[in-house]
Each structure stands twice: as structure tokens, then as C-alpha cells.
Amino acid sequence: MENQAAMEQQSYEDVRKSGYLRKQKSMHRRFFVLRAASEQGPARLEYYENEKKFRSKSPVPKKAVNLDSCFNINKRADSKNKHMIVLYTRGESFAIAADTEEVQNEWYQAMLDLQ
């Protein structure tokens, strides 16, 4: 039992930031987790359908973007979303939208710090 508690503890210690943001394309609210580099892997942005799925025994993210594969991270706005952050990798751009400028700035700064 102690070992399981240690495993659960370990899966959260690299988390730098977490919370709900929206995906740009679908506008669905998803639970995003920003992780620092650790034994589990490189610094990355993951998202889950909801917080409950992230907190489950063996969470598997819907998507993970390694920050070291991003050649650019930008703040942007479009007609629908005033507070977007876009992560650009060689193969794609992944955009997320925050509800407020303050939330956008917190996530943006946290991503730059880890990159």
C-alpha cells in the first residue's frame, strides 16, 4: 500500500500548473496539466477530458505536447478567443484559450519558464 501512495505522489510532483482551458478548434473545456522535466519525461503540456480522469489511478492524457519540441510559444487573439496561447512544433500548432488575460499570462509565463 505504501508503494502505491509513493507512486501517486510521484505522478504529481512534476506538475507546475493545472486547470481548465479551452481547445481552440472545438472550444471544449479540458483539464490541462503543465509538467516540468522529470524521470517521467520532458517538460510538457498535457490535457485530459476532465480533472477526475487526471486524478484517476492511471491517468493517460488525451494529448501531450513536449515543450522542448516547440520552436515558438505565442500569445494570440482571434475573433472568438481574446486570450489564446499557441504552441508551435515542427508538425503542428496547438492552440488553447483562457477565459481571462490574467489566466493567459500565468500559463504563458509558466510555459516559457519550463521551455
Side-chain angles (χ1 to χ4, degrees):
M1 209 55 171
E2 282 179 33
N3 194 19
Q4 188 179 359
M7 287 279 289
E8 285 179 20
Q9 181 63 42
Q10 194 170 10
S11 67
Y12 297 134
E13 67 186 22
D14 60 350
V15 172
R16 292 292 169 262
K17 189 156 188 55
S18 64
Y20 282 94
L21 298 166
R22 292 180 188 282
K23 289 176 53 192
Q24 181 202 11
K25 286 194 171 96
S26 64
M27 290 306 290
H28 290 140
R29 280 183 80 226
R30 295 292 181 242
F31 190 75
F32 283 83
V33 178
L34 187 62
R35 292 184 183 267
S38 68
E39 287 104 41
Q40 273 85 43
R44 62 202 179 276
L45 178 69
E46 302 174 339
Y47 83 84
Y48 301 82
E49 205 150 319
N50 53 42
E51 187 172 1
K52 186 178 176 189
K53 293 225 165 127
F54 167 65
R55 304 244 179 247
S56 70
K57 284 199 182 348
S58 53
V60 177
K62 285 250 187 215
K63 182 180 180 95
V65 178
N66 291 346
L67 296 183
D68 59 3
S69 72
C70 295
F71 60 82
N72 203 350
I73 299 175
N74 272 346
K75 288 196 282 188
R76 216 176 78 192
D78 69 11
S79 57
K80 280 193 272 182
N81 305 298
K82 288 191 177 99
H83 311 295
M84 281 188 354
I85 300 169
V86 186
L87 293 85
Y88 295 95
T89 64
R90 201 176 288 295
E92 68 173 334
S93 61
F94 183 66
I96 52 176
D99 291 332
T100 66
E101 186 176 357
E102 182 184 358
V103 171
Q104 177 195 34
N105 287 332
E106 288 171 9
W107 279 89
Y108 178 70
Q109 194 55 57
M111 285 181 210
L112 291 185
D113 291 346
L114 291 176
Q115 190 188 27

